[in-house]
Amino acid sequence: MIRRTEHPAPPRLSEPDLPDILSGGGRIRARTEHFQRRFDALESETDADHAVITECRIAGAATDAWSLTGATLIDVDIEHLRATTITARESRWRRVRITGGRIGTLDLSAAELDEVELRGIRIDYLALGRSRVEDLLITDCTFTTLDVPGATLRRAAFSDSRADELDTRGLSAENVDLRGLEVLSITDPTAVRGVTMSERQVDFHARAFATSLGVHVAGER
């Protein structure tokens, strides 16, 4: 019997692998390693550039600015985070889950993401420009702007989520499922080649698709 391959292929996700007991307290600092720890607070301005954070939980913390440029996060569970700005350019995330909370700007430009889940978060601006993403699931999230220009997405899916604007310029997509993302505006409809959309979504964006193909849309004669 020939087994049909599911299309689009769903993200392949595993929960962050954390021990039952984590050491408490401490501060996250730049260029340091943090292993099997629980953090219940962050400084108002937290510099964690080039840090290595492994098998850690961050719960109920709030910060104005959290810098993670060049940092590595592996098996990290973040719950109910409130942050004005998180700058994580050129960082590396593997098996990271963020659940609940509110983030103003989450800048993951040129980052490498593998097995990442965002669930139940309000994010005003999510930047994934030039990032390389494999196995991403976004559930019950709201975005004002979702930027993916020049990004490479493999096995990414949305569920019960919403974005006012989706910037897709230069997007490379494979097994990307947008059916669970209600999006009001797509910056470059020609760049959604390879994604999966519902008939309702295609109908909603029909004028933008036609315009991108050079079709002049006019009223009935």
Side-chain angles (χ1 to χ4, degrees), residues 19-202:
D20 293 334
I21 299 176
L22 297 170
S23 301
R27 299 164 67 183
I28 301 178
R29 295 186 177 279
R31 303 182 185 278
T32 56
E33 296 187 8
H34 306 274
F35 179 65
Q36 293 187 352
R37 302 188 68 84
R38 177 187 175 98
F39 299 93
D40 296 315
L42 296 172
E43 296 176 296
S44 61
E45 294 188 3
T46 300
D47 181 0
D49 288 349
H50 304 284
V52 178
I53 304 171
T54 308
E55 296 183 27
C56 291
R57 172 171 285 118
I58 300 166
T63 181
D64 292 326
W66 186 8
S67 184
L68 287 162
T69 297
T72 297
L73 284 68
I74 301 174
D75 290 313
V76 176
D77 197 9
I78 301 173
E79 301 173 342
H80 306 294
L81 174 68
R82 297 188 66 85
T84 304
T85 302
I86 299 175
T87 304
R89 299 168 185 160
E90 300 180 344
S91 59
R92 291 163 294 281
W93 295 27
R94 181 174 176 82
R95 287 188 303 275
V96 176
R97 179 175 59 190
I98 305 179
T99 306
R102 172 72 183 269
I103 301 173
T105 295
L106 176 54
D107 187 354
L108 287 162
S109 301
E112 295 182 8
L113 310 182
D114 186 9
E115 294 189 67
V116 171
E117 182 176 3
L118 306 179
R119 182 179 293 271
I121 316 167
R122 170 64 189 264
I123 303 176
D124 291 335
Y125 179 62
L126 174 58
L128 288 167
R130 298 177 290 107
S131 62
R132 297 181 62 85
V133 180
E134 289 192 359
D135 301 308
L136 170 68
L137 178 61
I138 295 177
T139 302
D140 191 26
C141 291
T142 302
F143 307 92
T144 301
T145 301
L146 175 54
D147 270 5
V148 291
T152 299
L153 271 58
R154 302 287 183 267
R155 294 185 303 276
F158 296 80
S159 176
D160 298 321
S161 296
R162 183 183 186 278
D164 290 346
E165 181 181 12
L166 175 62
D167 186 349
T168 57
R169 292 172 296 173
L171 172 65
S172 174
E174 180 181 328
N175 289 306
V176 174
D177 192 345
L178 293 182
R179 289 174 293 179
L181 178 67
E182 180 184 349
V183 57
L184 299 182
S185 173
I186 298 176
T187 300
D188 183 3
T190 64
V192 296
R193 182 186 301 274
V195 309
T196 297
M197 302 177 70
S198 68
E199 291 185 7
R200 182 183 61 83
Q201 288 174 312
V202 173

